[in-house]
Amino acid sequence: MERFERLAEQVGVLLNAEVEVQGGECLVKRTRAITISSQNKNFNCVLDHDILFKNLKEDGTALNQAEILLLPEELALFTNALQKHPISWPINYQQRVDINPDIVCIYLSSEETPEDFATRLSAAFNVIEQNTLVK
């Protein structure tokens, strides 16, 4: 279990987030403040992103899952950053997107090392955060 906890800590650092280890699962608690503009009104809110890994194998791979909430205008930036990242996606990768008028939810699932999954996600978060600062 010590190996799992060290890995959880490393993933938390990569994603700049708190981690909680419980029963063979690592839940990463990453939040992000955004402003949603709808019907000429602005709403400030904090989004909780659900990121976890579990079922760590001897070879270092695990089942990684993420549920990421984005503004509609951030979706292309986020997915492009994921696709263009130097660490390519593994064969066992799934992505699904639910689109609403004011918020988008992207679901990611892969079987790979948690460090690779977290590194790729962190880079995608950095792209949308840098784009927000430019505006």
Side-chain angles (χ1 to χ4, degrees):
M1 194 60 149
E2 190 175 306
R3 173 182 171 221
F4 191 83
E5 290 170 353
R6 282 194 313 269
L7 181 58
E9 186 176 309
Q10 183 179 3
V11 167
V13 169
L14 287 168
L15 287 167
N16 191 26
E18 293 183 24
V19 295
E20 182 180 297
V21 175
Q22 188 175 48
E25 285 189 3
C26 174
L27 176 62
V28 180
K29 298 178 177 190
R30 182 179 167 100
T31 59
R32 187 168 73 98
I34 65 164
T35 301
I36 297 175
S37 298
S38 180
Q39 299 176 357
N40 297 323
K41 294 181 183 176
N42 290 330
F43 303 94
N44 295 321
C45 61
V46 176
L47 301 175
D48 293 322
H49 302 292
D50 294 330
I51 304 165
L52 71 86
F53 70 88
K54 61 185 178 181
N55 302 334
L56 184 64
K57 297 179 183 173
E58 284 297 317
D59 66 0
T61 62
L63 175 62
N64 301 276
Q65 298 174 316
E67 184 177 307
I68 309 298
L69 300 171
L70 303 167
L71 295 171
E73 61 269 20
E74 295 172 330
L75 180 61
L77 289 170
F78 192 82
T79 57
N80 285 339
L82 291 175
Q83 292 170 353
K84 293 179 181 179
H85 195 274
I87 301 172
S88 58
W89 285 104
I91 293 171
N92 296 336
Y93 166 73
Q94 294 179 359
Q95 176 179 311
R96 183 184 64 151
V97 178
D98 288 340
I99 299 175
N100 294 306
D102 300 319
I103 200 91
V104 173
C105 186
I106 183 168
Y107 301 92
L108 306 169
S109 177
S110 71
E111 199 170 305
E112 63 184 314
T113 66
E115 301 97 327
D116 285 353
F117 189 75
T119 298
R120 199 181 301 105
L121 277 180
S122 180
F125 279 123
N126 287 339
V127 167
I128 60 173
E129 288 166 2
Q130 289 172 357
N131 188 61
T132 302
L133 294 175
V134 171
K135 290 183 178 182

